[in-house]
Amino acid sequence: GAGVSQTPSNKVTEKGKYVELRCDPISGHTALYWYRQSLGQGPEFLIYFQGTGAADDSGLPNDRFFAVRPEGSVSTLKIQRTERGDSAVYLCASSAMTGGDTGELFFGEGSRLTVL
Amino acid sequence: AQKITQTQPGMFVQEKEAVTLDCTYDTSDQSYGLFWYKQPSSGEMIFLIYQGSYDEQNATEGRYSLNFQKARKSANLVISASQLGDSAMYFCANAGGTSYGKLTFGQGTILTVHP
């Protein structure tokens, strides 16, 4: 597609369950980012991929959060043993630029996660 | 480390008038970038404008301009000739060093444009 695609757009789950959120970046974009946006706040950085590898995962809040990008395109954010505090909109963004240059980030519309 | 402060939770402007959205930043990096993004109710973040720390001139993109005052560490967004479609949440963000995609966002300002 033309833009960054995220699925599902909405996910409701119960506390303790496992969830996966998918991001399909713009074709050819080597850099992919995950952000989390809580209600009334600005997005917070979670993790950055350059190609297949996680170049910076310093924003992941704890070891329940994990992300992969096995073929350097689609990425999946995985959350184990979900907690109510994980409820937020998870935003994915991609960029054509590599490190050392500025680059516009293209964001998807996000996956809204609600943990009951 | 990066920090962004947006002190205006909400702003109102009359259609066709100009509005300034405030942003101050703090950073320990010598080289950094400043960004503004727009987030309409759909939730998607839309890039508006970028200013590099070594750029001597203020950035402009159509009706958007960034008033960059390095000594004051401010990067205010000016929207000229406001349109109804400008009503949205606006976020200022910065990034340092070589990680320009690793953005630190402020808390945002909700802009409402009145007809």
Side-chain angles (χ1 to χ4, degrees), chain A residues 52-112:
Chain A
T52 60
D56 186 341
D57 65 357
S58 61
L60 294 178
N62 52 59
D63 60 6
R64 295 187 297 106
F65 288 75
F66 190 71
V68 295
R69 195 185 185 198
E71 298 178 356
S73 178
V74 171
S75 176
T76 304
L77 179 66
K78 308 181 180 193
I79 310 173
Q80 298 177 321
R81 305 183 303 280
T82 52
E83 299 178 356
R84 291 192 181 88
D86 299 335
S87 296
V89 176
Y90 289 82
L91 294 166
C92 177
S94 69
S95 171
M97 307 299 275
T98 56
D101 292 307
T102 65
E104 173 184 350
L105 292 188
F106 294 84
F107 281 83
E109 292 192 350
S111 291
R112 181 177 297 278

Side-chain angles (χ1 to χ4, degrees), chain B residues 23-42:
Chain B
C23 172
T24 57
Y25 64 92
D26 198 8
T27 179
S28 54
D29 290 299
Q30 293 296 315
S31 174
Y32 52 90
L34 297 156
F35 303 79
W36 277 91
Y37 280 81
K38 172 184 178 181
Q39 188 175 43
S41 56
S42 63

Side-chain angles (χ1 to χ4, degrees), chain A residues 4 22-34 48-55 67-76 92-98:
Chain A
V4 177
R22 174 190 166 106
C23 173
D24 197 346
I26 292 172
S27 178
H29 280 190
T30 56
L32 184 146
Y33 303 82
W34 284 98
Y48 154 51
F49 287 91
Q50 183 59 45
T52 60
V68 295
R69 195 185 185 198
E71 298 178 356
S73 178
V74 171
S75 176
T76 304
C92 177
S94 69
S95 171
M97 307 299 275
T98 56

Side-chain angles (χ1 to χ4, degrees), chain A residues 33 35 37 40-45 48 56 58 91 98-110, chain B residues 33 35 37 39 42-47 50 52 89 91 97-108:
Chain A
Y33 303 82
Y35 284 81
Q37 187 174 22
Q41 304 293 319
E44 294 178 309
F45 170 81
Y48 154 51
D56 186 341
S58 61
L91 294 166
T98 56
D101 292 307
T102 65
E104 173 184 350
L105 292 188
F106 294 84
F107 281 83
E109 292 192 350
Chain B
F35 303 79
Y37 280 81
Q39 188 175 43
S42 63
E44 186 177 354
M45 300 284 284
I46 301 168
F47 168 81
Y50 159 79
M89 178 74 90
F91 290 99
T98 57
S99 301
Y100 272 22
K102 183 180 177 181
L103 298 173
T104 298
F105 287 87
Q107 291 204 316

